[in-house]
Amino acid sequence: MTSPRLHIAIFSYNRGAYLKNCVDSVERNMPRIDWTVYDDGSDEPETVAYLQTLGEAVRHMKSAGEDRHGGYYNNMQAALDGTQADYLLMLQDDLQVVRPFAQEDLSRIHQVFDQSPTTVFISPLFMKGSKRAYFQQRYQPDAALRCYRWSADPQESGKVPQKYADIAVLHVARLRQSGWRFAGSEEANGALADALFGDMVQVAEPWVFYVPEEPAYRGRVLTLGAKLAVKMAGNTVKSFHDMSAQASLAFAQRDLVVYPFAEDFVDTVDPTVRKPYKFNAYRTRWLPLILNKLELLGRRFWQR
């Protein structure tokens, strides 16, 4: 049997150092997998300079409006429409591949899809330590396929991540057969997925996680709070150490009662980064957080 083909789509906007960290981690840990960067019209000099070094691996996109997510979902649709692969791994520039991705990982993804005909999305992400109770209450191990499956009330209102998440491995043929078109938010895509597909599956041996304390854009703009947080935290990528071969092997052989929380398995290069990891730099300090909330409230008021 021919091995299924996997392609990686990386979505970026004005975070050159984070994009480089993401791409470097893909090349280190997934060297046999092709990838494409979909850039949403970056104009920050550092990012533009780095994009130029990537050559034909970049597709230059451009948002048409001032949507909160820029052109993100249009770019995801372009990646889905353009791929010739069987499976498509969707990544953002603030993510890092933290361990070697082996042929066994791809085989397990294929096995889950093959044995779960209504599954279209598989999460490659470590679980967040800040949500331990959430994951442990809602996901149960599937020892046969070595993954975690949703086990909470199927009528629970939120369909993210029960049905869908932006960071996922996609089954390309099933999405195309359904006529899938990405909606403008993660929540809206969750509702679409709820109407069309079965639950999203969580891999038992994830290989991707969010870099902590990153600058988060809203409507293609950094809020004052986000800028202040980056300045206070130091404008450097809080990258992770890659898991060693020995650690990766132990991770793959562990009992699934040990859930894959990032804080238990991956450490930042900067030892001062606190656990549980926080995402969006403005969430790490009270003043930037308040400023960010006030600015976003002001934007909503003036857009009425």
Side-chain angles (χ1 to χ4, degrees):
M1 176 182 171
T2 303
S3 178
R5 295 168 297 168
L6 175 67
H7 189 81
I8 304 170
I10 304 171
F11 302 95
S12 75
Y13 177 70
N14 271 358
R15 296 192 291 194
Y18 287 84
L19 176 60
K20 185 178 187 305
N21 183 67
C22 179
V23 169
D24 287 351
S25 75
V26 167
E27 293 191 322
R28 275 195 318 274
N29 291 312
M30 303 181 75
R32 298 179 182 85
I33 309 297
D34 292 333
W35 50 271
T36 303
V37 171
Y38 290 79
D39 183 70
D40 197 34
S42 292
D43 54 10
E44 186 270 325
E46 179 185 10
T47 305
V48 172
Y50 177 64
L51 289 168
Q52 290 173 346
T53 71
L54 301 180
E56 295 182 357
V58 179
R59 285 196 60 185
H60 296 278
M61 318 296 284
K62 182 63 178 177
S63 300
E66 296 301 320
D67 184 80
R68 178 177 184 268
H69 302 286
Y72 181 45
Y73 293 102
N74 288 332
N75 298 346
M76 290 180 74
Q77 188 67 50
L80 175 61
D81 291 344
T83 189
Q84 297 180 2
D86 301 293
Y87 309 139
L88 185 61
L89 171 59
M90 302 296 214
L91 298 181
Q92 296 170 358
D93 53 8
D94 59 348
L95 289 159
Q96 181 177 331
V97 179
V98 299
R99 68 168 182 85
F101 182 85
Q103 180 61 40
E104 290 79 5
D105 292 297
L106 183 56
S107 296
R108 191 165 289 124
I109 289 168
H110 178 68
Q111 184 181 26
V112 170
F113 278 135
D114 186 59
Q115 297 296 317
S116 307
T118 64
T119 296
V120 175
F121 304 102
I122 295 177
S123 174
L125 287 166
F126 282 81
M127 297 174 178
K128 293 181 178 179
S130 59
K131 296 184 176 181
R132 287 180 188 269
Y134 176 91
F135 283 107
Q136 290 171 333
Q137 291 169 7
R138 289 167 173 78
Y139 285 88
Q140 291 298 316
D142 178 338
L145 290 179
R146 198 160 176 86
C147 62
Y148 295 89
R149 293 185 179 276
W150 184 266
S151 64
D153 183 352
Q155 301 305 313
E156 186 169 311
S157 59
K159 299 306 176 183
V160 178
Q162 177 188 354
K163 298 290 184 176
Y164 170 90
D166 289 341
I167 309 306
V169 179
L170 281 52
H171 193 295
V172 173
R174 290 175 187 172
L175 283 168
R176 288 176 176 168
Q177 289 164 5
S178 75
W180 177 270
R181 305 295 297 179
F182 282 98
S185 72
E186 198 168 30
E187 291 75 15
N189 285 310
L192 287 174
D194 183 41
L196 294 170
F197 310 121
D199 291 342
M200 188 170 79
V201 172
Q202 165 74 48
V203 296
E205 286 86 38
W207 65 96
V208 176
F209 199 54
Y210 295 97
V211 174
E213 302 178 17
E214 88 289 4
Y217 281 85
R218 293 293 180 263
R220 297 170 60 85
V221 175
L222 280 178
T223 65
L224 178 60
K227 291 178 181 178
L228 177 60
V230 169
K231 185 174 182 180
M232 293 172 69
N235 191 20
T236 58
V237 179
K238 307 296 193 298
S239 59
F240 295 108
H241 289 293
D242 286 346
M243 293 175 66
S244 67
Q246 182 178 5
S248 296
L249 179 61
F251 183 55
Q253 294 176 342
R254 78 189 195 284
D255 191 306
L256 294 191
V257 298
V258 179
Y259 281 61
F261 292 108
E263 288 80 354
D264 298 337
F265 295 99
V266 291
D267 296 307
T268 53
V269 174
D270 179 353
T272 67
V273 176
R274 296 179 181 177
K275 296 181 180 182
Y277 299 127
K278 293 186 178 181
F279 310 94
N280 302 341
Y282 61 80
R283 296 183 185 276
T284 62
R285 291 169 172 81
W286 67 267
L287 180 57
L289 179 61
I290 292 173
L291 289 174
N292 184 77
K293 288 183 176 181
L294 289 174
E295 182 170 337
L296 293 179
L297 285 172
R299 287 191 201 178
R300 296 190 187 104
F301 176 81
W302 291 109
Q303 288 172 358
R304 289 180 179 179

